[in-house]
């Protein structure tokens, strides 16, 4: 036996064989016919269509051999498949390759073999078509040619077999894929429409049928236009034709949002994607072109979009209502804005918004904004009254009443048959749908809104959706109420303030006129008493005592008037302090000048302990601080024990100066402390011989508070009291010598021999007399009195006196007007003016100085000071 070497391409050959899928297949008559033809044509006992695989030769057709296959080893076919041409063994016994193989040496005693290789389409020898005989034989050329032809035929049959299998496979695959596509199309969630090039509907899947409300028979073979709204349907044919001729695309291959038409006529928003189905055929014929449209129902998307849009609109309304409420409220447009917004948001025809108020113990609705529901003149007037807040709704059983009085949400989508509504008056606009919603705040119905005649039914979803609107309305109603309350309060305050101002003005007017009325006679009393006391002829002792008494009582009265006026001025808010850095030591020195005499009189030791506060600058009002110190010191002296002590102490405490006035006096009982600062309360001192008005401490505390500090007291009965207060420290300045002893020198200067002319304009004869008495002491001057400013002005122009004394409170032209005229007239402008007035107000003093007066004397004035000033002015005139 000879082992035959396998070719290098054996593996590919085997693959080509397997690819044919012929091995172990059923017998095929086509092959069998071929082998039979060969057996009879060549007259051989055995003919095979043999396919040679790795280990065996398998027979697709066999004649003369029973076995369906035989081992490849030792086979003739193994040799034949490796050859490129006809392989012939004429006598196997003579061929050493086969002589000893079993089929030659044994049954079936093969002697002759002729095998032609059969090739696969890709050129590999996969088997043989062979003739086998038991006698040695030769094949003529023609026989060999015939054998080759038969082998070619067998090859063709192999190819056919292969194609048949491929076809079957393809058919199977395409059936499966068709079934799959059909299933996909039918069960697709999207609607699928198949049409031909003329627009005829070929198929509509279930989804499309459901979406558009049709049965298949109602649409098949019809034009697809029936599924489109008018505006698209009219153009569709043209569009389809244009696409097929020019390829111009609108929807095909693009996809866009359009509307489909439901069988019931409604329009459905859809996304439509159309593609042309590519298949063989005559593409120029419209019928053979096919288009598939995929419709995605966008109703949910559109609804979501609409919801989102609504949410956004609602948010915009709420945002504007909340952020702009002030502007809207002040322009009275808030409710109008909310009503309009409500109408729009709910697509309603009518809307109203109102606030619940309480009228005669029952809830009533005050309309803030309402759509016009009037239908004639009387109802128009009624609506106007409702809008203007002149009329309220109070029926608790009406559709509105159930909301604002009952606190219920009332919803009706069939108002015409709703028994709750009752009959509307004739002419009233018809209401179909109605929704009334209470606006509740902390369990209380504070308002309501109602809407009517929306295009769609009202429902719970809408009520829920409107909840933020409802809460915003609650908030705005509360704000509105608060603002109204505030406005009312401000108005009341204004009325109260006006009243207080009026009464304060009346009080001030009263006090200033009273002070004028009191000061004028007092001026005369004190003036004459002073003249009497200081007269050239000495008085008898008794007379002197009486004069002193007049002077004491007069100055007590004057004190009282001054203090009461001061207090009244502070209380009416007319007193202003000017806080500025002032030298504390200087104020103290001046104060001591005033109270020292009192202390000496009472035999009281007066000590000042400055403790490092010398030359301190404190923030205070100079005059008011002096007033406070005088008051505390004089009290400490007055209410002291015999030969007692008063200590004025100033201490630095961080950035403040602590000032205390302590005495060794009678002290104040604890139970009286609370009354200490009450005006006119003298705590029993009125029964003693100590002079006082009971106003000083009240005034002192008020002045202290005006200066942003306060007075504190500590006292022990029988031991003494300490009154103290603090002032802010500004700085400690470098030492500056105090010149408290400076005395005006002009007072004593002798005037020239020539008499000076002085004009006194004063309507009060007593005051004129007083002034004449004063001038009788001034040898160098001569006084002339006139009763009115008008007369005074004339004399001033004609005689040009050296000095004019002007009463301010004159009948007719007052002193200031006269002063202005004198200063503006070149004939009189140089004449110095002195104002003498019953008023002691700071404003009057300021006005006088602004007009150029040389001085301002409040009645009752200090005679000495006035006389000195007069002499000084006259001597200045002389030196000109
Ligand atoms: P008055 O003009 O009576 O002194 P004040 O308002 O100054 O009025 O004081 C009110 C009252 O407080 C005094 O009448 C007196 O009874 C009491 N008082 C004031 N200062 C002292 C003090 N230093 N010691 C004891 N009592 C005082």
């Amino acid at each position: 036996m000879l082992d035959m070497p396998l070719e290098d391409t054996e593996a590919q050959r085997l693959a080509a064989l397997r690819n044919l899928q012929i091995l172990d297949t059923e017998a095929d008559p086509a092959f069998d016919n071929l082998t039979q033809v060969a057996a009879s044509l060549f007259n051989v006992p055995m003919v095979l269509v043999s396919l040679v695989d790795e280990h065996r030769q398998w027979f697709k057709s066999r004649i003369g051999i029973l076995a369906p296959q035989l081992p490849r080893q030792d086979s003739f076919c193994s040799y034949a498949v490796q050859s490129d041409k006809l392989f012939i063994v004429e006598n196997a016994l003579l061929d050493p390759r086969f002589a000893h193989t079993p089929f030659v040496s044994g049954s079936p005693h093969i002697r002759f073999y002729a095998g032609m290789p059969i090739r696969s389409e890709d050129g590999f020898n996969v088997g043989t078509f062979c003739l086998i005989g038991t006698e040695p034989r030769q094949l003529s050329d023609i026989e060999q040619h015939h054998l080759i032809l038969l082998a070619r035929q067998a090859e063709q049959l192999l190819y056919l077999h292969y194609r048949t299998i491929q076809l079957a496979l393809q058919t199977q695959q395409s059936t499966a894929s068709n079934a799959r596509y059909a299933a996909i199309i039918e069960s697709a969630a999207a609607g699928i429409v198949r049409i031909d090039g003329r627009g005829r509907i070929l198929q509509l899947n279930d989804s499309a049928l459901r979406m558009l409300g049709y049965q298949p028979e109602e649409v098949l073979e019809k034009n697809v236009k029936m599924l489109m709204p008018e505006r698209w349907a009219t153009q569709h044919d043209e569009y389809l034709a244009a696409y097929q001729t020019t390829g111009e695309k609108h929807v095909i291959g693009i996809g866009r949002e359009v509307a489909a038409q439901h069988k019931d006529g409604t329009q459905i928003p859809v996304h439509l994607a159309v593609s042309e189905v590519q298949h063989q055929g005559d593409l120029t014929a419209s019928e053979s072109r096919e288009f598939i449209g995929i419709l995605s129902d966008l109703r949910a998307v559109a609804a979501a979009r609409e919801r989102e849009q609504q949410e956004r609109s609602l948010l915009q309304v709420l945002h504007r209502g909340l952020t702009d409420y002030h502007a809207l409220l002040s322009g009275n447009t808030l409710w109008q804005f909310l009503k309009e917004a409500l109408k729009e948001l709910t697509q309603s025809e009518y809307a109203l918004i109102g606030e619940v108020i309480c009228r005669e113990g029952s809830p009533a609705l005050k309309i803030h904004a309402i759509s016009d529901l009037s239908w004639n003149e009387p109802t128009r007037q009624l609506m106007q009254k409702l809008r203007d807040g002149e009329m309220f709704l109070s029926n608790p059983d009406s559709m509105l009443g159930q909301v604002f009085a009952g606190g219920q949400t009332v919803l009706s989508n069939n108002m015409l048959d709703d028994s709750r509504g009752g009959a509307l008056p004739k002419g009233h606009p018809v209401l179909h749908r109605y929704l009334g919603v209470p606006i509740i705040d902390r369990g209380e119905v504070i308002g309501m809104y109602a809407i009517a005649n929306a295009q769609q039914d009202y429902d719970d979803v809408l009520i829920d959706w409107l909840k933020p609107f409802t809460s915003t309305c609650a908030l705005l109603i509360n704000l509105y109420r608060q603002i109204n309350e505030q406005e009312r309060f401000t108005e009341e305050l204004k009325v109260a303030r006006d009243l207080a101002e009026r009464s304060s003005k009346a009080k001030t007017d009263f006090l200033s006129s009273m002070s004028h009325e009191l000061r004028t006679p007092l001026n005369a009393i004190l003036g004459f008493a002073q003249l009497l006391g200081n007269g050239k002829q000495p008085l008898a002792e008794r007379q002197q005592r009486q004069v002193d008494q007049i002077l004491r009582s007069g100055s007590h009265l004057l004190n009282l008037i001054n203090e009461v006026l001061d207090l009244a001025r502070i209380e009416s808010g007319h007193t202003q302090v000017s806080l500025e850095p002032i030298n504390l030591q200087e104020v103290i020195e001046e104060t001591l000048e005033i109270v020292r005499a009192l202390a000496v009189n009472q035999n009281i030791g007066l000590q000042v302990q400055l403790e490092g506060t010398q030359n301190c600058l404190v923030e205070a009002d100079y005059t008011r601080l002096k007033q406070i110190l005088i008051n505390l010191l004089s009290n400490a002296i007055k209410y002291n024990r015999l030969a007692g002590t008063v200590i004025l102490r100033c201490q630095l405490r961080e950035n403040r100066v602590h000032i205390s006035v302590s005495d060794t006096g009678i002290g104040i009982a604890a139970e009286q402390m609370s009354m200490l600062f009450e005006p006119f309360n003298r705590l029993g001192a009125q029964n003693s011989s100590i002079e006082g008005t009971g106003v000083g401490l009240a005034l002192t505390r008020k002045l202290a508070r005006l200066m942003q500090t306060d007075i504190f007291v500590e006292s022990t009965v029988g031991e003494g009291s300490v009154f103290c207060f603090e002032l802010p420290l500004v700085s400690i300045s470098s030492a500056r010598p105090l010149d408290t002893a400076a005395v005006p020198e002009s007072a004593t200067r002798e005037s020239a021999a020539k008499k000076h002319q002085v004009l006194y304009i004063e309507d009060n004869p007593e005051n004129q007399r007083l002034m004449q008495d004063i001038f009788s002491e001034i040898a160098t001057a001569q006084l002339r009195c006139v009763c009115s400013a008008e007369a005074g002005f004339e004399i001033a122009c004609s005689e040009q006196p050296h000095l004019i004394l002007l009463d301010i409170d004159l009948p007719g032209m007052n002193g200031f007007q006269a002063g202005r005229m004198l200063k503006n007239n070149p004939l009189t402008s140089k004449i110095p003016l002195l104002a003498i007035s019953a008023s002691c107000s700071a404003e009057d003093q300021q006005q006088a100085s602004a007009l150029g007066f040389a001085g301002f004397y409040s009645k009752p004035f200090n005679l000495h000071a006035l006389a000195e000033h007069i002499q000084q002015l006259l001597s200045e005139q002389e030196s000109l």
Side-chain angles (χ1 to χ4, degrees), residues 635 638-639 663 668 676 681-683 685 692-694 696-697 721 723:
N635 273 357
K638 281 195 306 184
Y639 300 104
D663 62 59
I668 303 155
L676 189 62
N681 195 336
R682 298 200 63 208
L683 310 180
T693 59
L697 276 184
S721 316
F723 285 75

Side-chain angles (χ1 to χ4, degrees), residues 319-422:
H319 180 255
R320 167 125 202 256
L322 286 174
T323 49
D324 264 10
Y325 75 89
H326 223 279
L328 290 169
L329 271 177
S330 58
N332 270 337
T333 49
L334 175 68
W335 307 112
Q336 199 62 23
F337 163 72
L338 288 175
K339 180 207 77 181
E340 282 307 311
L342 186 62
K343 256 172 64 178
E344 255 176 56
L345 289 171
T346 59
Q347 292 171 4
S348 300
E349 195 180 354
Y350 304 112
L352 75 80
I353 296 188
E355 183 188 347
V356 175
I357 53 166
C358 184
R359 294 195 79 220
E360 292 156 7
S362 310
L365 188 66
K366 178 180 172 192
I367 301 288
H368 280 312
I370 185 167
S371 309
D372 195 357
L373 285 163
S374 63
W375 60 94
N376 56 20
E377 193 46 38
T379 52
R380 242 186 304 288
Q381 286 173 8
L382 217 64
M383 292 291 303
Q384 197 52 46
K385 277 187 169 178
L386 275 176
R387 276 197 207 103
D388 294 346
E390 290 170 15
M391 208 181 125
F392 306 96
L393 302 177
S394 54
N395 177 4
D397 302 322
S398 68
M399 284 297 254
L400 292 173
Q402 291 168 40
V403 185
F404 72 77
Q408 298 168 32
T409 298
V410 178
L411 189 157
S412 174
N413 284 313
N414 185 11
M415 277 289 279
L416 297 178
D417 292 334
D418 200 316
S419 57
R420 292 175 295 177

